[in-house]
Amino acid sequence: AIPFPISTKMPHKDTNATGAVAAAGKLKILHMAGSPVSQYYSMVSVHYAREMLASASDEQTQSDFDFHFAVVLPGGAWCLIADLDQSTIDSAPKLSHGEALAALTAGDYDACVPHMFCWPGYTAYRSLMDLLGVPLVGCSPECMALITDKAQAKAVASAAGVPVPEGELLRSPSQVITVPYPFVLKPCCEDNSMGISKVEDASELPGAIAEAFKFDSNVVCERFIPLGREIRIAVIEDEAGEPATVLPATEYLLTPDHPMRTSNDKISVTDKGLPDADKFFATNREEAPTYRRSVCPAPLDDVLATKLADAAKRAHKALRCRDFSIFDFRVDPSGEVYMLECQPVCSFARQSAMISMALKTDVPELQYPTLYHTIMCRAAARKPKPYDGSQMLGMKVK
């Protein structure tokens, strides 16, 4: 790993708007989870947040941080709670947007860790934190809107010199496709490999088109990159905001018979299609087939490691990621790399993808929970000053 010069010094803690001081000078962190639109993403979100909370039970975390939780339920009601037990969520008052906004404003949080994975969670709810002056851990809502739109994200990354598969955007199921077979169809704005299909020939097209358009009104059609390898790369910024550290890579052990990861390869589901709370993670389960397994650190020669690191850093800057970013790359049989997607989210549980990769290093600053603390402190240091009405010109506050 590249040296990671960071500071975990806690930002100065002033009294809040009500005159109260956070407990023992701790940073007051809001964790925002759930989904107003989807039971699936609500369950995924709360599960990941619980995994984070279970990992963050160490003495240092409890000494330095005061965790609070906002859960958005399917339908849009809010619960503002002190823990994530299901009984707590069930019994908590269900707040409207207006009621929740008033309570969140009074909370005077130092930072927010977003755990929401639906489109409103990536965008509108992150924007809400910006409006309230609560700095976000990770990417801005503007960045999340960009990276969630696969067509736009790849166009921006490609313009910065990042290799991406050739493709086109389908705006109608009847649009004539010009990409030659085999190709991949993906809903343009969807997550977790929902609606994705590999299409070998015309006989498979109608079903694949129907499945993709079930999730979005726009669908990405891109050239299928023959399976060489599929590699996940994570990048962490330094104190200056530069994507300086590339973590040990993860490789997904796909096979010729199963050359792409699907939604069910990531999260186990019930017969209703909802996450299976008893199994949940499909990858690397004891009974998992080879194509649902991964290895970290992935064995990379210097040439491939350099290509992946350069592409990831270019994409991080072009897409205006912040704090960290995660990318999935396809490596074809000749060793050329192609960015498949950017997914700059992390639950910050010990077993989460990025934290697991960081733990494969011997760098003290990248160990858990130090890295998590650093990223929360950096976010808290970005807390903006209130607008004072004195600025004469400019679209952004100076």
Side-chain angles (χ1 to χ4, degrees), residues 192-238:
N192 211 47
S193 296
M194 292 287 190
I196 187 172
S197 300
K198 178 189 176 188
V199 183
E200 293 281 3
D201 54 45
S203 67
E204 297 179 351
L205 183 57
I209 281 280
E211 180 66 13
F213 274 100
K214 194 164 71 176
F215 290 92
D216 195 14
S217 59
N218 292 317
V219 168
V220 171
C221 176
E222 63 186 26
R223 179 170 71 90
F224 174 73
I225 305 301
L227 178 61
R229 305 171 71 178
E230 192 153 317
I231 307 290
R232 173 163 285 188
I233 298 292
V235 176
I236 298 176
E237 290 184 347
D238 60 18

Side-chain angles (χ1 to χ4, degrees), residues 113-305:
V113 181
H115 300 273
M116 300 176 75
F117 305 111
C118 60
W119 173 257
Y122 279 164
T123 57
Y125 286 82
R126 289 192 183 217
S127 293
L128 178 60
M129 292 298 106
D130 280 352
L131 181 66
L132 297 179
V134 180
L136 288 158
V137 166
C139 294
S140 69
E142 297 86 358
C143 171
M144 296 304 295
L146 172 59
I147 66 94
T148 306
D149 186 312
K150 294 177 174 61
Q152 290 188 6
K154 288 181 180 178
V156 171
S158 178
V162 179
V164 300
E166 303 94 329
E168 61 190 340
L169 184 65
L170 308 181
R171 294 182 172 86
S172 164
S174 60
Q175 183 174 332
V176 175
I177 296 174
T178 63
V179 179
Y181 294 105
F183 53 72
V184 177
L185 294 179
K186 307 175 180 181
C188 188
C189 294
E190 185 53 59
D191 203 358
N192 211 47
S193 296
M194 292 287 190
I196 187 172
S197 300
K198 178 189 176 188
V199 183
E200 293 281 3
D201 54 45
S203 67
E204 297 179 351
L205 183 57
I209 281 280
E211 180 66 13
F213 274 100
K214 194 164 71 176
F215 290 92
D216 195 14
S217 59
N218 292 317
V219 168
V220 171
C221 176
E222 63 186 26
R223 179 170 71 90
F224 174 73
I225 305 301
L227 178 61
R229 305 171 71 178
E230 192 153 317
I231 307 290
R232 173 163 285 188
I233 298 292
V235 176
I236 298 176
E237 290 184 347
D238 60 18
E239 288 184 320
E242 287 295 314
T245 298
V246 178
L247 299 179
T250 293
E251 179 170 6
Y252 294 100
L253 304 179
L254 299 174
T255 65
D257 292 334
H258 196 93
M260 298 191 321
R261 297 181 78 211
T262 67
S263 180
N264 290 346
D265 294 330
K266 301 174 181 181
I267 294 176
S268 301
V269 297
T270 66
D271 55 4
K272 295 181 179 180
L274 295 176
D276 188 329
D278 294 328
K279 297 179 180 178
F280 202 82
F281 294 112
T283 304
N284 291 333
R285 290 190 63 81
E286 183 177 349
E287 69 274 17
T290 298
Y291 60 78
R292 285 185 179 166
R293 296 189 178 277
S294 65
V295 58
C296 182
L300 305 176
D301 61 38
D302 290 344
V303 172
L304 180 55

Side-chain angles (χ1 to χ4, degrees), residues 13-182:
K13 180 65 181 173
D14 292 318
T15 56
N16 65 21
T18 63
V21 180
K26 298 179 182 181
L27 286 181
K28 193 174 181 182
I29 306 296
L30 178 68
H31 294 270
M32 188 166 57
S35 170
V37 299
S38 165
Q39 294 180 39
Y40 179 93
Y41 284 118
S42 177
M43 294 173 70
V44 168
S45 171
V46 173
H47 181 90
Y48 280 134
R50 286 172 176 157
E51 295 269 308
M52 176 283 304
L53 186 57
S55 296
S57 59
D58 61 281
E59 182 178 343
Q60 190 65 47
T61 302
Q62 296 193 8
S63 171
D64 291 349
F65 301 92
D66 183 20
F67 285 173
H68 299 254
F69 303 91
V71 176
V72 182
L73 302 176
W78 292 74
C79 299
L80 303 184
I81 47 184
D83 64 67
L84 289 172
D85 292 347
Q86 191 60 48
S87 60
T88 303
I89 296 173
D90 293 341
S91 62
K94 305 306 184 283
L95 306 180
S96 67
H97 284 309
E99 292 168 329
L101 276 171
L104 290 169
T105 302
D108 191 35
Y109 300 102
D110 293 298
C112 172
V113 181
H115 300 273
M116 300 176 75
F117 305 111
C118 60
W119 173 257
Y122 279 164
T123 57
Y125 286 82
R126 289 192 183 217
S127 293
L128 178 60
M129 292 298 106
D130 280 352
L131 181 66
L132 297 179
V134 180
L136 288 158
V137 166
C139 294
S140 69
E142 297 86 358
C143 171
M144 296 304 295
L146 172 59
I147 66 94
T148 306
D149 186 312
K150 294 177 174 61
Q152 290 188 6
K154 288 181 180 178
V156 171
S158 178
V162 179
V164 300
E166 303 94 329
E168 61 190 340
L169 184 65
L170 308 181
R171 294 182 172 86
S172 164
S174 60
Q175 183 174 332
V176 175
I177 296 174
T178 63
V179 179
Y181 294 105

